[in-house]
Amino acid sequence: MHFAFLAAGAAILAASPAAAQLRPLVEPPASVDAARDGVDVFLVNDGGATVSAEGPATIETRAADGTRLSLSPASAEQVTVRPGAFAKVRYRLSSDVAVAPKIQPAPAAKASAGETVLADSSGGSGGFLDRLRPHEPIYGAFGAGDAGGKLQVSFAFRGLGRADGPNLVFAYTQTMFWAVDKPSGPFRATNYSPELYADMPLDQATTLGLGYRHDSNGLGTAGSVDMNRIFARLSRRFDMGDGWRLDLTPQAWFYFGEHGIASDMDRYRGFTSLTAAIGQQDGLKLQVMGRGNPGTGKGAAEAFLSYPLAAVWNGLPHIYLFGQAFTGYGEALTDYNRQTSRARLGIAFTR
């Protein structure tokens, strides 16, 4: 992690005695609108004893577009920091923040109080781009033989609320299976997966999601495989020290409506899943997902392993060397009742 970059523009106005040996480093938000979603602050313990992670009561910094910001702690959660280690805490805009005029607009952007406008060779486009974020991993990976290529795009849009409070989120994921081993290289299957859910932070490390997801292979009545599900999932983060983090996400759902030709979908998909991810920011990350139906003994597991290329060669963009493996039923919805095992290697843009 490039702490020198994260600390740019941060000036500390007040600190409690317990935080005297903690050095706060601020990750600058893109704008004041982005700062309303919360700002990450890293408290580095430069002392020789373990201390409570209490940051300054007020931090003055600047957003990337030059806006001056005043930040205050967003949570009173008690964690400790070992000597030489750091803790990540969340700050928010102070209620009495006075936003100064921007000293320099962001490149290729026309900043305003609401809409963000970007210009490129296709012309100008605008929208509430600060509400967009990654959802599931975005990647392209390829394997030998019939593994072929697997391409995935995924994003989420926060429609209502702020990132540090309840949100109504629309997300969309599209996964394409590319038969590069066949003449002309056709796409043999595609999964289309829109979802709408309420995202509700329970504390600084735990978030509850409740919503609806539709999965479909996009074919007509004769070959349609689709699912309509109401789901509940809980994500819990565990900071393990030295920049390592563990995320656990159990999920449960029930089906409703028709499944097209897949009337026995629940035999292979089951009603629950568990995702576990362990990784280090700007370092290695391993994510494993398992789902299935204990009553039938059928299910699936998928693993993702990624590493930032910038850590190998400084100056490379923020993309990841990416490995993906799947075994079980239903990697593609069309194969919901067919067992396969495949491994692929490629590049990811989010993880």
Side-chain angles (χ1 to χ4, degrees), residues 22-27 38-44 52-56 59 71-81 86-92 204 237 239:
L22 293 180
R23 175 164 48 94
L25 304 172
V26 181
E27 184 172 7
V39 177
D40 287 332
V41 175
F42 298 85
L43 301 177
V44 182
S52 176
E54 296 180 19
I59 293 179
L71 308 175
S72 59
S75 172
E77 182 181 8
Q78 294 298 312
V79 294
T80 58
V81 193
F86 68 88
K88 184 172 76 172
V89 296
R90 199 74 170 165
Y91 272 63
R92 64 184 175 212
Q204 193 174 8
R237 183 188 73 242
D239 291 318

Side-chain angles (χ1 to χ4, degrees), residues 225-245:
V225 178
D226 54 77
M227 294 183 293
N228 292 292
R229 292 181 289 169
I230 299 296
F231 67 82
R233 61 179 171 233
L234 188 71
S235 180
R236 174 73 178 178
R237 183 188 73 242
F238 301 89
D239 291 318
M240 303 175 66
D242 295 328
W244 287 91
R245 160 178 169 169

Side-chain angles (χ1 to χ4, degrees), residues 30-34 63-67 99-119 125-130:
S31 63
V32 64
D33 288 332
D65 64 1
T67 305
V99 179
K102 300 176 178 63
I103 60 173
Q104 184 178 359
K110 183 178 180 181
S112 68
E115 183 182 29
T116 301
V117 179
L118 302 175
S125 59
F128 299 103
L129 302 182
D130 59 307

Side-chain angles (χ1 to χ4, degrees), residues 30 44 61 69 78 84 104 136 192 256 297 303 340 345:
V44 182
T61 188
L69 305 174
Q78 294 298 312
Q104 184 178 359
E136 297 183 9
Y192 304 92
F256 68 96
T340 59
L345 184 66

Side-chain angles (χ1 to χ4, degrees), residues 275-332:
T275 301
I278 184 170
Q280 188 175 36
Q281 186 169 350
D282 296 324
L284 191 68
K285 180 179 180 180
L286 172 64
Q287 178 175 308
V288 179
M289 180 280 300
R291 57 169 166 79
N293 187 330
T296 62
K298 302 183 186 302
E302 187 167 31
F304 302 102
L305 184 66
S306 58
Y307 191 77
L309 289 176
V312 179
W313 183 9
N314 190 24
L316 284 175
H318 289 286
I319 57 179
Y320 306 90
L321 182 63
F322 187 80
Q324 178 266 336
F326 178 92
T327 185
Y329 293 86
E331 183 181 30

Side-chain angles (χ1 to χ4, degrees), residues 191-224:
N191 295 346
Y192 304 92
S193 305
E195 57 187 289
L196 182 67
Y197 61 95
D199 217 28
M200 296 169 283
L202 303 183
D203 57 41
Q204 193 174 8
T206 310
T207 304
L208 173 66
L210 299 171
Y212 160 74
R213 175 163 172 149
H214 174 76
D215 297 272
S216 172
N217 64 350
L219 298 182
T221 304
S224 176

